[in-house]
CSV table of all heavy atoms in Angstrom, one decimal:
chain,number,residue,atom,x,y,z
A,1302,GLY,N,-13.7,4.9,2.0
A,1302,GLY,CA,-13.4,6.2,2.6
A,1302,GLY,C,-13.0,6.1,4.0
A,1302,GLY,O,-13.7,5.5,4.8
A,1303,PHE,N,-11.9,6.6,4.4
A,1303,PHE,CA,-11.4,6.7,5.8
A,1303,PHE,C,-11.2,5.3,6.4
A,1303,PHE,O,-11.0,5.1,7.5
A,1303,PHE,CB,-12.4,7.4,6.7
A,1303,PHE,CG,-13.0,8.6,6.0
A,1303,PHE,CD1,-14.3,8.7,5.7
A,1303,PHE,CD2,-12.2,9.7,5.7
A,1303,PHE,CE1,-14.8,9.8,5.1
A,1303,PHE,CE2,-12.7,10.8,5.0
A,1303,PHE,CZ,-14.0,10.9,4.7
A,1304,ARG,N,-11.1,4.3,5.5
A,1304,ARG,CA,-10.8,2.9,5.9
A,1304,ARG,C,-9.5,2.4,5.3
A,1304,ARG,O,-8.6,2.0,6.0
A,1304,ARG,CB,-11.9,1.9,5.6
A,1304,ARG,CG,-11.5,0.4,5.8
A,1304,ARG,CD,-12.6,-0.5,5.8
A,1304,ARG,NE,-13.4,-0.5,7.1
A,1304,ARG,CZ,-13.0,-1.1,8.2
A,1304,ARG,NH1,-11.9,-1.8,8.2
A,1304,ARG,NH2,-13.7,-1.0,9.3
A,1305,VAL,N,-9.4,2.5,3.9
A,1305,VAL,CA,-8.2,1.9,3.3
A,1305,VAL,C,-7.0,2.8,3.5
A,1305,VAL,O,-5.8,2.4,3.4
A,1305,VAL,CB,-8.4,1.5,1.8
A,1305,VAL,CG1,-9.5,0.5,1.7
A,1305,VAL,CG2,-8.7,2.8,1.0
A,1306,SER,N,-7.2,4.0,3.9
A,1306,SER,CA,-6.2,4.9,4.4
A,1306,SER,C,-6.9,6.1,5.0
A,1306,SER,O,-8.2,6.2,5.0
A,1306,SER,CB,-5.3,5.5,3.2
A,1306,SER,OG,-6.0,6.6,2.6
A,1307,ARG,N,-6.2,7.0,5.7
A,1307,ARG,CA,-6.9,8.1,6.3
A,1307,ARG,C,-7.7,8.9,5.3
A,1307,ARG,O,-8.7,9.6,5.6
A,1307,ARG,CB,-6.0,9.0,7.2
A,1307,ARG,CG,-5.0,9.8,6.4
A,1307,ARG,CD,-4.0,10.5,7.4
A,1307,ARG,NE,-4.7,11.3,8.4
A,1307,ARG,CZ,-5.2,12.5,8.2
A,1307,ARG,NH1,-5.1,13.1,7.0
A,1307,ARG,NH2,-5.8,13.2,9.1
A,1308,SER,N,-7.2,8.9,4.1
A,1308,SER,CA,-7.9,9.6,3.0
A,1308,SER,C,-8.6,8.6,2.0
A,1308,SER,O,-8.8,9.0,0.8
A,1308,SER,CB,-6.9,10.4,2.2
A,1308,SER,OG,-6.3,11.4,3.1
A,1309,GLY,N,-8.9,7.4,2.4
A,1309,GLY,CA,-9.6,6.5,1.6
A,1309,GLY,C,-8.8,6.0,0.4
A,1309,GLY,O,-7.6,6.0,0.4
A,1310,GLN,N,-9.5,5.5,-0.6
A,1310,GLN,CA,-8.8,5.0,-1.8
A,1310,GLN,C,-8.0,6.1,-2.5
A,1310,GLN,O,-7.0,5.9,-3.1
A,1310,GLN,CB,-9.9,4.4,-2.8
A,1310,GLN,CG,-9.3,3.8,-4.0
A,1310,GLN,CD,-8.4,2.6,-3.8
A,1310,GLN,OE1,-8.5,1.9,-2.8
A,1310,GLN,NE2,-7.6,2.3,-4.8
A,1311,TRP,N,-8.6,7.3,-2.4
A,1311,TRP,CA,-7.9,8.5,-3.0
A,1311,TRP,C,-6.5,8.6,-2.4
A,1311,TRP,O,-5.5,9.0,-3.1
A,1311,TRP,CB,-8.7,9.8,-2.8
A,1311,TRP,CG,-7.9,11.0,-3.3
A,1311,TRP,CD1,-7.7,11.4,-4.5
A,1311,TRP,CD2,-7.3,12.0,-2.4
A,1311,TRP,NE1,-7.0,12.6,-4.6
A,1311,TRP,CE2,-6.8,13.0,-3.3
A,1311,TRP,CE3,-7.2,12.2,-1.0
A,1311,TRP,CZ2,-6.1,14.1,-2.8
A,1311,TRP,CZ3,-6.6,13.3,-0.5
A,1311,TRP,CH2,-6.0,14.2,-1.4
A,1312,GLY,N,-6.4,8.3,-1.1
A,1312,GLY,CA,-5.1,8.4,-0.4
A,1312,GLY,C,-4.1,7.3,-0.9
A,1312,GLY,O,-2.9,7.4,-0.8
A,1313,LEU,N,-4.6,6.3,-1.6
A,1313,LEU,CA,-3.8,5.2,-2.1
A,1313,LEU,C,-3.4,5.4,-3.5
A,1313,LEU,O,-2.2,5.2,-3.9
A,1313,LEU,CB,-4.5,3.8,-1.9
A,1313,LEU,CG,-4.8,3.3,-0.5
A,1313,LEU,CD1,-5.4,1.9,-0.6
A,1313,LEU,CD2,-3.6,3.3,0.4
A,1314,ASP,N,-4.4,5.8,-4.4
A,1314,ASP,CA,-4.0,5.9,-5.8
A,1314,ASP,C,-4.2,7.3,-6.4
A,1314,ASP,O,-3.9,7.5,-7.5
A,1314,ASP,CB,-4.9,4.9,-6.6
A,1314,ASP,CG,-6.4,5.1,-6.6
A,1314,ASP,OD1,-6.8,6.2,-6.2
A,1314,ASP,OD2,-7.1,4.2,-6.9
A,1315,GLY,N,-4.6,8.2,-5.5
A,1315,GLY,CA,-4.6,9.6,-6.0
A,1315,GLY,C,-5.7,9.9,-7.0
A,1315,GLY,O,-5.8,11.0,-7.6
A,1316,GLN,N,-6.6,9.0,-7.2
A,1316,GLN,CA,-7.7,9.2,-8.2
A,1316,GLN,C,-9.0,9.5,-7.5
A,1316,GLN,O,-9.4,8.9,-6.5
A,1316,GLN,CB,-7.9,7.9,-9.0
A,1316,GLN,CG,-6.7,7.4,-9.7
A,1316,GLN,CD,-6.0,8.4,-10.6
A,1316,GLN,OE1,-6.7,9.2,-11.2
A,1316,GLN,NE2,-4.7,8.5,-10.6
A,1317,HIS,N,-9.7,10.5,-8.1
A,1317,HIS,CA,-11.0,10.8,-7.5
A,1317,HIS,C,-12.0,11.4,-8.6
A,1317,HIS,O,-11.5,11.9,-9.6
A,1317,HIS,CB,-10.9,11.8,-6.4
A,1317,HIS,CG,-10.4,13.2,-6.8
A,1317,HIS,ND1,-11.2,14.2,-7.2
A,1317,HIS,CD2,-9.1,13.6,-7.0
A,1317,HIS,CE1,-10.5,15.2,-7.6
A,1317,HIS,NE2,-9.2,14.9,-7.5
A,1318,GLY,N,-13.2,11.3,-8.3
A,1318,GLY,CA,-14.2,11.9,-9.2
A,1318,GLY,C,-14.5,13.3,-8.9
A,1318,GLY,O,-13.9,13.9,-8.0
A,1319,ASP,N,-15.3,13.9,-9.8
A,1319,ASP,CA,-15.8,15.3,-9.6
A,1319,ASP,C,-16.6,15.4,-8.3
A,1319,ASP,O,-16.7,16.4,-7.6
A,1319,ASP,CB,-16.6,15.8,-10.8
A,1319,ASP,CG,-15.8,15.6,-12.1
A,1319,ASP,OD1,-14.9,16.4,-12.4
A,1319,ASP,OD2,-16.0,14.5,-12.8
A,1320,LEU,N,-17.3,14.3,-8.1
A,1320,LEU,CA,-18.1,14.1,-6.9
A,1320,LEU,C,-17.7,12.8,-6.2
A,1320,LEU,O,-17.2,11.9,-6.9
A,1320,LEU,CB,-19.6,14.0,-7.2
A,1320,LEU,CG,-20.3,15.3,-7.8
A,1320,LEU,CD1,-21.7,15.0,-8.3
A,1320,LEU,CD2,-20.3,16.5,-6.8
A,1321,MET,N,-17.8,12.8,-4.9
A,1321,MET,CA,-17.4,11.6,-4.1
A,1321,MET,C,-18.5,11.3,-3.1
A,1321,MET,O,-19.2,12.3,-2.7
A,1321,MET,CB,-16.1,11.8,-3.4
A,1321,MET,CG,-14.9,12.1,-4.3
A,1321,MET,SD,-13.4,12.4,-3.4
A,1321,MET,CE,-12.9,10.8,-2.9
A,1322,THR,N,-18.6,10.1,-2.8
A,1322,THR,CA,-19.6,9.7,-1.7
A,1322,THR,C,-18.9,9.0,-0.6
A,1322,THR,O,-18.0,8.2,-0.8
A,1322,THR,CB,-20.7,8.8,-2.3
A,1322,THR,OG1,-20.1,7.7,-3.0
A,1322,THR,CG2,-21.6,9.6,-3.3
A,1323,PHE,N,-19.4,9.3,0.6
A,1323,PHE,CA,-18.8,8.7,1.8
A,1323,PHE,C,-19.9,8.2,2.7
A,1323,PHE,O,-21.0,8.6,2.7
A,1323,PHE,CB,-18.0,9.8,2.6
A,1323,PHE,CG,-17.0,10.6,1.8
A,1323,PHE,CD1,-17.3,11.8,1.3
A,1323,PHE,CD2,-15.8,10.0,1.4
A,1323,PHE,CE1,-16.4,12.5,0.5
A,1323,PHE,CE2,-14.9,10.7,0.6
A,1323,PHE,CZ,-15.2,11.9,0.2
A,1324,GLY,N,-19.5,7.3,3.6
A,1324,GLY,CA,-20.5,6.7,4.6
A,1324,GLY,C,-19.7,5.9,5.6
A,1324,GLY,O,-18.6,6.1,5.9
A,1325,LYS,N,-20.4,4.8,6.1
A,1325,LYS,CA,-19.7,3.8,6.9
A,1325,LYS,C,-18.8,4.4,8.0
A,1325,LYS,O,-19.3,4.9,9.0
A,1325,LYS,CB,-19.1,2.7,6.1
A,1325,LYS,CG,-20.2,2.0,5.2
A,1325,LYS,CD,-19.8,0.7,4.6
A,1325,LYS,CE,-21.1,0.0,4.1
A,1325,LYS,NZ,-21.2,-0.1,2.6
A,1326,VAL,N,-17.5,4.4,7.8
A,1326,VAL,CA,-16.6,4.8,8.9
A,1326,VAL,C,-16.9,6.2,9.4
A,1326,VAL,O,-16.9,6.5,10.6
A,1326,VAL,CB,-15.1,4.8,8.4
A,1326,VAL,CG1,-14.2,5.5,9.4
A,1326,VAL,CG2,-14.6,3.4,8.2
A,1327,MET,N,-17.3,7.1,8.5
A,1327,MET,CA,-17.5,8.5,8.9
A,1327,MET,C,-18.8,8.7,9.8
A,1327,MET,O,-19.0,9.8,10.4
A,1327,MET,CB,-17.6,9.5,7.7
A,1327,MET,CG,-18.8,9.2,6.8
A,1327,MET,SD,-19.4,10.7,5.9
A,1327,MET,CE,-20.3,11.5,7.2
A,1328,GLY,N,-19.6,7.6,9.9
A,1328,GLY,CA,-20.7,7.7,10.9
A,1328,GLY,C,-20.4,7.0,12.2
A,1328,GLY,O,-21.2,7.1,13.1
A,1329,GLY,N,-19.2,6.4,12.3
A,1329,GLY,CA,-18.8,5.8,13.6
A,1329,GLY,C,-19.9,4.9,14.2
A,1329,GLY,O,-20.0,4.7,15.4
A,1330,GLY,N,-20.6,4.2,13.3
A,1330,GLY,CA,-21.6,3.2,13.8
A,1330,GLY,C,-23.0,3.8,13.9
A,1330,GLY,O,-24.0,3.2,14.3
A,1331,PHE,N,-23.2,5.1,13.5
A,1331,PHE,CA,-24.5,5.7,13.4
A,1331,PHE,C,-24.8,6.1,12.0
A,1331,PHE,O,-24.0,6.1,11.1
A,1331,PHE,CB,-24.5,7.0,14.2
A,1331,PHE,CG,-24.6,6.8,15.7
A,1331,PHE,CD1,-23.5,6.3,16.5
A,1331,PHE,CD2,-25.8,7.0,16.4
A,1331,PHE,CE1,-23.6,6.0,17.8
A,1331,PHE,CE2,-25.9,6.7,17.7
A,1331,PHE,CZ,-24.8,6.2,18.4
A,1332,PRO,N,-26.1,6.4,11.7
A,1332,PRO,CA,-26.5,6.7,10.3
A,1332,PRO,C,-26.0,8.1,9.9
A,1332,PRO,O,-26.6,9.1,10.3
A,1332,PRO,CB,-28.0,6.7,10.3
A,1332,PRO,CG,-28.4,6.0,11.6
A,1332,PRO,CD,-27.3,6.3,12.6
A,1333,ALA,N,-24.8,8.2,9.3
A,1333,ALA,CA,-24.3,9.4,8.8
A,1333,ALA,C,-23.5,9.1,7.5
A,1333,ALA,O,-22.8,8.1,7.5
A,1333,ALA,CB,-23.4,10.1,9.8
A,1334,ALA,N,-23.7,9.9,6.5
A,1334,ALA,CA,-23.0,9.7,5.2
A,1334,ALA,C,-22.9,11.1,4.6
A,1334,ALA,O,-23.4,12.1,5.2
A,1334,ALA,CB,-23.8,8.7,4.3
A,1335,ALA,N,-22.2,11.2,3.5
A,1335,ALA,CA,-22.0,12.5,2.9
A,1335,ALA,C,-21.7,12.3,1.4
A,1335,ALA,O,-21.3,11.3,1.0
A,1335,ALA,CB,-20.9,13.2,3.6
A,1336,PHE,N,-22.0,13.4,0.6
A,1336,PHE,CA,-21.4,13.5,-0.7
A,1336,PHE,C,-20.8,14.8,-0.8
A,1336,PHE,O,-21.2,15.8,-0.2
A,1336,PHE,CB,-22.5,13.2,-1.8
A,1336,PHE,CG,-23.6,14.2,-1.9
A,1336,PHE,CD1,-23.6,15.1,-2.9
A,1336,PHE,CD2,-24.6,14.2,-0.9
A,1336,PHE,CE1,-24.7,16.0,-3.0
A,1336,PHE,CE2,-25.7,15.1,-1.0
A,1336,PHE,CZ,-25.7,16.0,-2.1
A,1337,GLY,N,-19.8,14.9,-1.7
A,1337,GLY,CA,-19.1,16.2,-1.8
A,1337,GLY,C,-18.3,16.2,-3.1
A,1337,GLY,O,-18.4,15.3,-3.9
A,1338,GLY,N,-17.7,17.4,-3.4
A,1338,GLY,CA,-17.0,17.5,-4.6
A,1338,GLY,C,-16.6,19.0,-4.8
A,1338,GLY,O,-16.4,19.7,-3.9
A,1339,ARG,N,-16.3,19.3,-6.1
A,1339,ARG,CA,-15.9,20.6,-6.5
A,1339,ARG,C,-17.0,21.6,-6.0
A,1339,ARG,O,-18.2,21.4,-6.1
A,1339,ARG,CB,-15.8,20.7,-8.0
A,1339,ARG,CG,-14.6,19.9,-8.6
A,1339,ARG,CD,-14.2,20.5,-10.0
A,1339,ARG,NE,-15.3,21.0,-10.7
A,1339,ARG,CZ,-15.9,20.4,-11.8
A,1339,ARG,NH1,-15.5,19.2,-12.2
A,1339,ARG,NH2,-16.9,21.0,-12.4
A,1340,ALA,N,-16.5,22.8,-5.5
A,1340,ALA,CA,-17.5,23.8,-5.0
A,1340,ALA,C,-18.5,24.2,-6.1
A,1340,ALA,O,-19.6,24.4,-5.8
A,1340,ALA,CB,-16.7,25.0,-4.5
A,1341,ASP,N,-18.0,24.4,-7.3
A,1341,ASP,CA,-18.9,24.9,-8.4
A,1341,ASP,C,-20.1,23.9,-8.6
A,1341,ASP,O,-21.2,24.3,-8.9
A,1341,ASP,CB,-18.2,25.2,-9.7
A,1341,ASP,CG,-17.6,23.9,-10.3
A,1341,ASP,OD1,-16.8,23.3,-9.7
A,1341,ASP,OD2,-18.0,23.6,-11.5
A,1342,LEU,N,-19.8,22.6,-8.4
A,1342,LEU,CA,-20.9,21.6,-8.5
A,1342,LEU,C,-21.7,21.6,-7.3
A,1342,LEU,O,-23.0,21.6,-7.4
A,1342,LEU,CB,-20.3,20.2,-8.7
A,1342,LEU,CG,-19.6,19.9,-10.1
A,1342,LEU,CD1,-18.9,18.6,-10.1
A,1342,LEU,CD2,-20.7,19.9,-11.2
A,1343,MET,N,-21.1,21.6,-6.1
A,1343,MET,CA,-21.9,21.5,-4.9
A,1343,MET,C,-22.8,22.8,-4.7
A,1343,MET,O,-23.8,22.7,-4.1
A,1343,MET,CB,-20.9,21.4,-3.7
A,1343,MET,CG,-20.2,20.1,-3.7
A,1343,MET,SD,-21.3,18.6,-3.7
A,1343,MET,CE,-21.9,18.6,-2.0
A,1344,GLN,N,-22.3,23.9,-5.3
A,1344,GLN,CA,-23.1,25.1,-5.3
A,1344,GLN,C,-24.4,25.1,-6.1
A,1344,GLN,O,-25.2,26.0,-6.0
A,1344,GLN,CB,-22.3,26.3,-5.7
A,1344,GLN,CG,-21.2,26.7,-4.8
A,1344,GLN,CD,-21.7,27.4,-3.5
A,1344,GLN,OE1,-22.5,28.3,-3.6
A,1344,GLN,NE2,-21.2,27.0,-2.4
A,1345,GLN,N,-24.6,24.0,-6.8
A,1345,GLN,CA,-25.8,23.8,-7.6
A,1345,GLN,C,-26.9,23.2,-6.7
A,1345,GLN,O,-28.0,23.0,-7.2
A,1345,GLN,CB,-25.6,23.0,-8.8
A,1345,GLN,CG,-24.4,23.5,-9.7
A,1345,GLN,CD,-24.7,23.5,-11.1
A,1345,GLN,OE1,-25.8,23.3,-11.6
A,1345,GLN,NE2,-23.6,23.6,-11.9
A,1346,LEU,N,-26.5,22.8,-5.5
A,1346,LEU,CA,-27.5,22.2,-4.6
A,1346,LEU,C,-28.4,23.3,-3.9
A,1346,LEU,O,-27.9,24.4,-3.6
A,1346,LEU,CB,-26.8,21.5,-3.5
A,1346,LEU,CG,-26.3,20.1,-3.8
A,1346,LEU,CD1,-25.5,19.6,-2.5
A,1346,LEU,CD2,-27.4,19.1,-4.1
A,1347,SER,N,-29.6,23.0,-3.6
A,1347,SER,CA,-30.5,23.8,-2.8
A,1347,SER,C,-29.8,24.1,-1.5
A,1347,SER,O,-29.2,23.1,-0.9
A,1347,SER,CB,-31.7,22.9,-2.6
A,1347,SER,OG,-32.8,23.5,-2.6
A,1348,PRO,N,-29.9,25.2,-0.8
A,1348,PRO,CA,-30.7,26.4,-1.2
A,1348,PRO,C,-30.0,27.4,-2.2
A,1348,PRO,O,-30.6,28.3,-2.6
A,1348,PRO,CB,-31.0,27.1,0.1
A,1348,PRO,CG,-29.7,26.8,0.9
A,1348,PRO,CD,-29.2,25.4,0.5
A,1349,VAL,N,-28.7,27.2,-2.5
A,1349,VAL,CA,-28.0,28.1,-3.4
A,1349,VAL,C,-28.3,27.9,-4.8
A,1349,VAL,O,-28.4,28.8,-5.6
A,1349,VAL,CB,-26.5,28.2,-3.2
A,1349,VAL,CG1,-26.1,29.1,-2.1
A,1349,VAL,CG2,-25.9,26.8,-2.9
A,1350,GLY,N,-28.5,26.6,-5.2
A,1350,GLY,CA,-28.7,26.2,-6.6
A,1350,GLY,C,-30.1,25.5,-6.7
A,1350,GLY,O,-30.8,25.4,-5.7
A,1351,PRO,N,-30.4,25.1,-7.9
A,1351,PRO,CA,-31.7,24.5,-8.2
A,1351,PRO,C,-31.9,23.1,-7.9
A,1351,PRO,O,-33.0,22.6,-7.9
A,1351,PRO,CB,-31.8,24.8,-9.7
A,1351,PRO,CG,-30.4,24.7,-10.2
A,1351,PRO,CD,-29.5,25.2,-9.1
A,1352,VAL,N,-30.8,22.3,-7.6
A,1352,VAL,CA,-31.0,20.8,-7.4
A,1352,VAL,C,-31.4,20.6,-6.0
A,1352,VAL,O,-30.6,20.8,-5.0
A,1352,VAL,CB,-29.6,20.1,-7.8
A,1352,VAL,CG1,-29.8,18.6,-7.5
A,1352,VAL,CG2,-29.2,20.4,-9.2
A,1353,TYR,N,-32.6,20.0,-5.8
A,1353,TYR,CA,-33.1,19.9,-4.5
A,1353,TYR,C,-32.6,18.6,-3.8
A,1353,TYR,O,-32.4,17.6,-4.4
A,1353,TYR,CB,-34.7,19.8,-4.5
A,1353,TYR,CG,-35.2,19.9,-3.1
A,1353,TYR,CD1,-35.2,21.2,-2.5
A,1353,TYR,CD2,-35.8,18.8,-2.4
A,1353,TYR,CE1,-35.7,21.3,-1.2
A,1353,TYR,CE2,-36.2,19.0,-1.1
A,1353,TYR,CZ,-36.2,20.2,-0.5
A,1353,TYR,OH,-36.7,20.3,0.8
A,1354,GLN,N,-32.3,18.8,-2.5
A,1354,GLN,CA,-31.8,17.7,-1.7
A,1354,GLN,C,-32.0,18.2,-0.2
A,1354,GLN,O,-31.8,19.3,0.1
A,1354,GLN,CB,-30.3,17.5,-2.0
A,1354,GLN,CG,-29.7,16.2,-1.4
A,1354,GLN,CD,-29.4,16.4,0.1
A,1354,GLN,OE1,-29.1,17.4,0.6
A,1354,GLN,NE2,-29.5,15.2,0.8
A,1355,ALA,N,-32.5,17.2,0.6
A,1355,ALA,CA,-32.9,17.6,2.0
A,1355,ALA,C,-32.9,16.4,2.9
A,1355,ALA,O,-32.8,15.3,2.5
A,1355,ALA,CB,-34.2,18.3,2.0
A,1356,GLY,N,-33.1,16.6,4.2
A,1356,GLY,CA,-33.2,15.5,5.2
A,1356,GLY,C,-33.5,15.9,6.6
A,1356,GLY,O,-32.8,16.8,7.1
A,1357,THR,N,-34.6,15.4,7.1
A,1357,THR,CA,-35.0,15.8,8.5
A,1357,THR,C,-33.9,15.6,9.5
A,1357,THR,O,-33.7,16.4,10.4
A,1357,THR,CB,-36.3,15.0,8.9
A,1357,THR,OG1,-37.3,15.2,8.0
A,1357,THR,CG2,-36.7,15.3,10.3
A,1358,LEU,N,-33.2,14.4,9.4
A,1358,LEU,CA,-32.2,14.0,10.4
A,1358,LEU,C,-30.8,14.3,9.9
A,1358,LEU,O,-29.8,13.9,10.5
A,1358,LEU,CB,-32.4,12.6,10.8
A,1358,LEU,CG,-33.7,12.3,11.6
A,1358,LEU,CD1,-33.9,10.8,11.8
A,1358,LEU,CD2,-33.8,13.0,12.9
A,1359,SER,N,-30.6,14.8,8.7
A,1359,SER,CA,-29.3,15.0,8.1
A,1359,SER,C,-28.5,15.9,9.1
A,1359,SER,O,-28.9,16.9,9.6
A,1359,SER,CB,-29.4,15.7,6.8
A,1359,SER,OG,-30.0,14.8,5.8
Side-chain angles (χ1 to χ4, degrees):
F1303 319 114
R1304 170 165 285 277
V1305 298
S1306 81
R1307 70 187 303 283
S1308 303
Q1310 180 67 22
W1311 174 72
L1313 296 183
D1314 64 18
Q1316 304 304 323
H1317 66 90
D1319 307 279
L1320 295 171
M1321 299 176 78
T1322 52
F1323 308 104
K1325 297 196 167 111
V1326 169
M1327 64 151 283
F1331 281 78
F1336 64 105
R1339 290 200 330 254
D1341 66 298
L1342 288 171
M1343 294 302 288
Q1344 289 287 314
Q1345 306 220 16
L1346 280 177
S1347 213
V1349 272
V1352 178
Y1353 193 71
Q1354 192 282 328
T1357 300
L1358 293 175
S1359 293

